[in-house]
Amino acid sequence: MTIEEIYQAEQELARFNALMSYKEVLTQEEYEFCKEWDAEEAKNLFHNAWNNTYLNLNVYSEVEKEEYDLRKEMGI
């Protein structure tokens, strides 16, 4: 591998880690990217067919969503 190829691979790995560690909703393109890097890990992405996005179950928390919804309803 050349230095450029190593750099590119490191950048792609950093993107994969960021998507799977921090992003809650992924686009189709991001899903395909993650699936190429680790198909087993991509099984933790739930497909929302109505808007063609993927919910990252590694990041998503129902508790946080309920707290957010409650604060929103209370006007906080």
Side-chain angles (χ1 to χ4, degrees), residues 30-56:
E30 291 167 334
Y31 167 77
E32 294 295 332
F33 173 80
C34 291
K35 189 172 146 186
E36 283 182 32
W37 266 89
D38 189 346
E40 190 66 29
E41 188 68 25
K43 292 179 181 177
N44 292 327
L45 301 173
F46 176 76
H47 184 239
N48 291 322
W50 58 274
N51 66 359
N52 202 32
T53 61
Y54 291 82
L55 182 63
N56 185 349

Side-chain angles (χ1 to χ4, degrees), residues 3 7 11 19-20 26 52 57 68-70 74 76:
I3 293 174
Y7 176 77
Q11 293 300 308
L19 289 172
M20 295 306 289
L26 280 67
N52 202 32
L57 300 178
Y68 171 80
D69 289 345
L70 178 62
M74 295 174 67
I76 298 175

